[in-house]
Amino acid sequence: MVSGGWVSSHSGVSLHTDQPLLDRGDTVFAVVHGSQPRFIVSEIAEDIHRGVRFVRSNAARGSVDPDKFGVSGSRAVPAVACFYPPTDFLNWSEAGEDFWDYPPTRKYSPALGPRWETQAGRQSWGPGISPLCFVAKKMPLTRFIQGNADVTVPLYQSQLFEQKCKEVGAPFKLIVKSGAGHSYPGWRKDVTMLADWFDEHLLGLTGK
C-alpha cells in the first residue's frame, strides 16, 4: 500500500522498496488510495478495500492465488505487515491523550474529518477508526516494525496493539528497532525481513 500520512500518489511507487519481494518471484500490486484532506481516514480505508477487491477479482490475469495475499496495510488477508502504524487515536503517546493533543501529529488532523475538531466528536469518532478496537482472535497473522525513538507515531501505539493481541490470543509480533525514529534510515532494507515472513506464512517456506 503506497501511503504515508494518509497521502498516496503514483510517484510514491518504489521499485527499490518492492525489490526484495520481486527477487523471490512474488507479484506486487501497488495500491494508490485517495489522499487527505480531500478524503478522510474512513474513506481512504474503503478505497483500499476496493483496491484489494479489484486485485482479487483479477487474480487470474496476474496468475496469482487470491487466497495467498500479504498486505502491508490492512484488509481481510492471510498476513499483514506494517511499519510504525497508528492503532489507537484516543490514546496516542499515553493513556487519555488523543491524536489532537499530541503536537507532532496535529497537522494530520484534517485526515480525520470535521468531527475531530471537538472533544465530543473525537470520543465518538475515535473507536471507529482505531485498529485497536477491531483486534480479534481470528485476525490475520500480523507483524509490526517500529523504532523506539519514533516521535511521530509513538511506540506506545504498537505496544497497545501487542497487549490487546495477547489478551484475545491474536497472532501478532512486534519488532522494535533500537534508536530508530519514524521512517528511519534503512527501513527499506527491512522489507527483506517482511519478505521472509511472507514466504514463511503464505508459502510455507523457511530457512531463508
Side-chain angles (χ1 to χ4, degrees):
M1 185 174 66
V2 183
S3 186
W6 299 293
V7 173
S8 185
S9 70
H10 288 90
S11 63
V13 178
S14 171
L15 179 63
H16 176 71
T17 300
D18 298 333
Q19 198 63 54
L21 296 165
L22 298 172
D23 287 344
R24 297 153 197 264
D26 294 336
T27 300
V28 177
F29 300 90
V31 177
V32 177
H33 59 72
S35 299
Q36 64 105 347
R38 180 176 179 180
F39 296 89
I40 63 174
V41 169
S42 57
E43 294 170 326
I44 290 172
E46 286 304 313
D47 212 10
I48 294 167
H49 294 338
R50 282 191 293 271
V52 174
R53 289 196 297 269
F54 177 84
V55 172
R56 275 201 164 124
S57 66
N58 290 276
R61 292 173 59 188
S63 300
V64 298
D65 186 339
D67 295 322
K68 291 187 177 179
F69 278 1
V71 174
S72 181
S74 64
R75 183 60 179 170
V77 294
V80 176
C82 299
F83 285 94
Y84 31 77
T87 67
D88 186 351
F89 289 93
L90 294 182
N91 300 281
W92 196 248
S93 69
E94 59 184 24
E97 176 191 63
D98 70 40
F99 186 84
W100 175 263
D101 294 328
Y102 187 72
T105 52
R106 186 174 296 176
K107 64 182 179 180
Y108 298 109
S109 293
L112 305 181
R115 278 184 282 183
W116 206 257
E117 295 174 2
T118 67
Q119 179 67 24
R122 293 195 287 276
Q123 292 301 313
S124 64
W125 182 230
I129 60 172
S130 295
L132 185 74
C133 297
F134 298 93
V135 172
K137 185 175 183 178
K138 294 184 178 181
M139 74 179 196
L141 293 164
T142 303
R143 172 173 287 195
F144 287 178
I145 300 178
Q146 183 162 16
N148 61 4
D150 193 335
V151 296
T152 302
V153 178
L155 181 61
Y156 184 67
Q157 290 291 293
S158 290
Q159 292 171 331
L160 284 176
F161 200 87
E162 179 181 44
Q163 179 181 342
K164 185 66 174 181
C165 287
K166 288 180 179 179
E167 291 174 0
V168 303
F172 176 80
K173 183 174 182 179
L174 171 61
I175 298 174
V176 178
K177 306 288 290 187
S178 180
H182 201 68
S183 296
Y184 57 88
W187 75 267
R188 293 178 185 272
K189 293 182 180 179
D190 284 336
V191 175
T192 299
M193 185 192 312
L194 300 186
D196 289 340
W197 187 71
F198 281 145
D199 277 354
E200 178 182 352
H201 293 289
L202 297 180
L203 303 178
L205 302 177
T206 57
K208 286 193 174 184

